[in-house]
């Protein structure tokens, strides 16, 4: 089953798709190599999409709103950092090391 984004049929990497957006991820069954492979593929796709724009001021329509690449890139950095931060308490519980 896939999700259609900007005329692309994007394959859902894990089962459990709910209303075309989210998928379940079961850590106990996870294959680390597979997970990193999916992550690398998504990074490559994101780089290719960003490179397809000729300017940071180029726009695209997203959910009925016109947004620029200049808006998207910092937003994605912010989201990525936020989700990495969610893992800090788990890591700290494992090794006891806390950040600054």
């Amino acid at each position: 089953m896939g999700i259609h984004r900007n005329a692309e049929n994007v394959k859902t990497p894990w089962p459990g798709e709910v209303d075309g957006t989210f998928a379940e991820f079961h850590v106990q069954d996870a294959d680390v190599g597979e997970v990193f492979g999916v992550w690398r593929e998504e990074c490559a796709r994101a780089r290719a999409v960003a490179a397809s724009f000729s300017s940071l001021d180029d726009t695209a329509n997203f959910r009925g709103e016109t947004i620029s690449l200049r808006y998207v890139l910092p937003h994605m950095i912010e989201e990525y950092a936020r989700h990495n931060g969610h893992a800090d308490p788990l890591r700290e519980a494992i090794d006891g090391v806390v950040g600054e």
Side-chain angles (χ1 to χ4, degrees):
M1 179 175 269
I3 302 169
H4 291 279
R5 294 185 192 142
N6 297 330
E8 288 184 76
N9 186 19
V10 180
K11 182 181 174 279
T12 304
W14 294 284
E17 184 176 308
V18 177
D19 84 82
T21 307
F22 301 102
E24 295 175 6
F25 179 75
H26 301 287
V27 175
Q28 64 272 26
D29 300 333
D31 176 318
V32 174
E34 177 188 7
V35 173
F36 275 114
V38 170
W39 175 73
R40 285 182 189 98
E41 289 172 15
E42 291 300 319
C43 288
R45 184 201 319 265
R47 287 184 190 104
V49 169
S52 73
F53 286 79
S54 59
S55 165
L56 289 174
D57 296 317
D58 286 351
T59 60
N61 291 317
F62 180 71
R63 296 182 181 165
E65 186 177 351
T66 301
I67 56 175
S68 69
L69 184 59
R70 186 180 305 276
Y71 167 81
V72 170
L73 294 178
H75 176 73
M76 294 308 298
I77 292 168
E78 174 188 26
E79 283 294 315
Y80 195 81
R82 179 179 298 121
H83 289 288
N84 279 333
H86 292 164
D88 280 348
L90 298 173
R91 189 207 37 80
E92 289 171 5
I94 291 168
D95 63 15
V97 177
V98 298
E100 295 178 26

